[in-house]
Amino acid sequence: MPDLTLFTYDWVPPPPRGYVRDLRVRWALEEAGLPYRVASTPFDDRGPAHLAHQPFGQAPWLTDGDLSIFETGAILLHLGGLSAKLMPSDRRGRSDVTEWVFGALNSVEMASLPWTMLKFMGEPGSKFFDNFIELRLKRMENVLADREWLTGSFSVADILMADVLRIVERFDGLAGSPACRAYVARATARPAFAKARDDQMAHFAAADATRSV
Amino acid sequence: MPDLTLFTYDWVPPPPRGYVRDLRVRWALEEAGLPYRVASTPFDDRGPAHLAHQPFGQAPWLTDGDLSIFETGAILLHLGGLSAKLMPSDRRGRSDVTEWVFGALNSVEMASLPWTMLKFMGEPGSKFFDNFIELRLKRMENVLADREWLTGSFSVADILMADVLRIVERFDGLAGSPACRAYVARATARPAFAKARDDQMAHFAAADATRSV
């Protein structure tokens, strides 16, 4: 029986709210219907206790009993092992989902993150990184043109890919990628996504009151 | 019994040789002593047959019997399941290696790739991406200060982390990170790394002759 606690920041400034990566974990937990607790770690003071669980000083991490796991990709593969709603249990199903988990993070987000970070920070754009994300989106248009989800059924790979593309869309990066845009709309129409996003927003909003005291 | 074939480009121009990502897969296969074949896919013409195995038009991919797997991270986790020399088989060991596989690719390479791509392409540097990789290297210095390998013993996570940091070192990015530099030296001193690199160099060099005919 899993014993799951999701650790995220106690508070973040408004701009990243709704996009903090604990959302990816919340979304998976809600899809699977797994019971879990949410615990907070200080955003302002990321000391040794934080680094012992997340050596890069980021969030989230997840504990399952005596296991502590950082990196959203690793957390989602772990949850995939707990629920067939997140990842099939047969050899081919697991392999297909795993390759697309890495595809979302290492082929698409590897290109989208530099692009979105420059936008988010208000830095000058870069032709080089514009071309990088454009190339990846072109490939994803082909992939998504004729399928509902990346593998045979909705999985943790879709949670990651949809959230990666959702951040691109936030900065109007999907205007020329209708299949990607429709995929994001399809994924984020799922009740588990709305629950995850609303819960994240409420978690950080609740901390505003405490901080203003 | 695994039935492994590694697919890589038939040829690449000289600058990336020794750094093409099939090296990460070759390295793991050599560490494990698993038998494998190497097959080529055209570098110049990446058509539907290529995209059917690697939807981003990149290399490598691996087949294991009827399974075809793209993304180096997914391939290395698959190989980890085939050999305890690459990943322990107990629950905690698998979890620790998996989180560091993602740590190497998504926390460190996510920051090092924009930095190294700008260097590789001879583009102007960026203070923003300089800071991003510097922050990650600072965290990795702490992690590597008091351990030989990322988890209890050498694993696929070390293959990925060492290769990610090796590319940073190629562009003199580890001058202020002695623990990272010593870790790269330790990892690349392993005979399996040398075999993998030499085999990759020979594979591409053999194609030079064919192309000049």
Side-chain angles (χ1 to χ4, degrees):
Chain A
M1 192 56 193
D3 174 23
L4 304 168
T5 303
L6 169 63
F7 288 79
T8 188
Y9 298 120
D10 58 347
W11 175 89
V12 299
R17 291 185 193 181
Y19 294 88
V20 177
R21 290 188 185 196
D22 70 60
L23 190 144
R24 298 174 180 185
V25 182
R26 291 176 185 269
W27 187 356
L29 289 161
E30 294 294 337
E31 290 281 355
L34 289 163
Y36 63 102
R37 289 175 297 279
V38 176
S40 289
T41 186
F43 175 79
D44 292 325
D45 175 23
R46 306 183 197 179
H50 185 144
L51 295 175
H53 289 279
Q54 218 297 352
F56 299 101
Q58 296 196 293
W61 71 84
L62 180 87
T63 60
D64 180 356
D66 62 338
L67 279 186
S68 182
I69 310 171
F70 66 90
E71 284 288 346
T72 314
I75 293 169
L76 262 59
L77 284 184
H78 180 79
L79 296 178
L82 300 178
S83 170
K85 290 181 184 170
L86 298 176
M87 182 165 71
S89 58
D90 65 291
R91 177 172 182 265
R92 176 180 293 273
R94 278 187 287 118
S95 179
D96 288 352
V97 169
T98 303
E99 72 179 358
W100 274 112
V101 160
F102 284 98
L105 298 176
N106 295 106
S107 286
V108 183
E109 193 163 41
M110 195 67 88
S112 69
L113 191 104
W115 186 87
T116 53
M117 281 178 89
L118 293 175
K119 300 271 184 197
F120 187 76
M121 306 298 284
E123 295 271 324
S126 152
K127 190 73 193 156
F128 185 76
F129 291 115
D130 288 353
N131 291 343
F132 190 18
I133 180 62
E134 195 178 323
L135 180 63
R136 290 293 190 270
L137 291 176
K138 195 176 144 198
R139 298 300 190 186
M140 284 309 300
E141 279 295 290
N142 289 341
V143 169
L144 293 170
D146 63 353
R147 58 178 101 172
E148 185 178 14
W149 306 117
L150 292 170
T151 60
S153 57
F154 185 85
S155 76
V156 286
D158 293 298
I159 289 176
L160 292 170
M161 185 69 82
D163 196 55
V164 166
L165 293 174
R166 185 175 71 100
I167 301 171
V168 177
E169 187 167 37
R170 183 185 186 184
F171 297 103
D172 282 331
L174 296 186
S177 308
C180 291
R181 178 175 269 177
Y183 171 77
V184 171
R186 202 153 62 233
T188 57
R190 297 174 71 91
F193 169 80
K195 176 78 162 66
R197 187 193 46 203
D198 293 351
D199 285 356
Q200 175 178 107
M201 297 301 286
H203 177 87
F204 295 130
D208 286 333
T210 316
R211 287 175 75 95
S212 62
V213 168
Chain B
M1 193 56 195
D3 174 22
L4 304 169
T5 303
L6 169 62
F7 288 79
T8 188
Y9 298 119
D10 58 346
W11 175 89
V12 300
R17 291 185 193 182
Y19 295 88
V20 177
R21 290 188 185 196
D22 70 61
L23 189 144
R24 297 173 181 186
V25 182
R26 291 176 185 270
W27 187 356
L29 288 161
E30 295 295 335
E31 290 280 355
L34 288 163
Y36 64 102
R37 289 174 297 278
V38 176
S40 289
T41 186
F43 175 79
D44 292 324
D45 175 24
R46 306 183 197 178
H50 184 143
L51 295 175
H53 288 280
Q54 218 297 352
F56 300 101
Q58 297 197 292
W61 70 87
L62 179 87
T63 60
D64 180 357
D66 62 338
L67 279 186
S68 181
I69 310 171
F70 66 90
E71 284 288 344
T72 314
I75 293 169
L76 263 59
L77 284 184
H78 180 79
L79 295 178
L82 299 178
S83 170
K85 290 181 183 168
L86 299 176
M87 181 165 71
S89 58
D90 65 292
R91 177 173 180 265
R92 175 179 295 273
R94 278 185 289 118
S95 179
D96 288 353
V97 169
T98 303
E99 71 178 0
W100 274 111
V101 161
F102 284 98
L105 298 176
N106 295 106
S107 286
V108 182
E109 192 163 41
M110 195 68 89
S112 69
L113 191 104
W115 186 86
T116 54
M117 281 179 89
L118 293 175
K119 299 270 185 199
F120 187 75
M121 306 297 285
E123 296 271 324
S126 151
K127 190 75 192 153
F128 185 76
F129 291 114
D130 288 354
N131 290 342
F132 190 18
I133 181 61
E134 195 178 323
L135 180 63
R136 290 293 189 271
L137 291 176
K138 194 177 145 200
R139 297 300 189 186
M140 284 310 300
E141 280 295 292
N142 289 341
V143 168
L144 293 170
D146 62 355
R147 60 177 99 172
E148 185 179 16
W149 306 117
L150 292 170
T151 61
S153 57
F154 184 85
S155 76
V156 285
D158 293 299
I159 289 176
L160 292 170
M161 185 68 82
D163 196 55
V164 166
L165 293 174
R166 184 176 73 99
I167 301 172
V168 177
E169 188 167 37
R170 183 185 187 184
F171 297 103
D172 281 331
L174 296 186
S177 308
C180 291
R181 178 174 267 177
Y183 171 77
V184 171
R186 201 153 62 234
T188 57
R190 297 174 72 91
F193 170 80
K195 174 79 162 68
R197 186 193 47 202
D198 294 349
D199 285 356
Q200 175 178 109
M201 298 301 286
H203 177 86
F204 295 130
D208 286 334
T210 316
R211 287 175 75 96
S212 61
V213 168

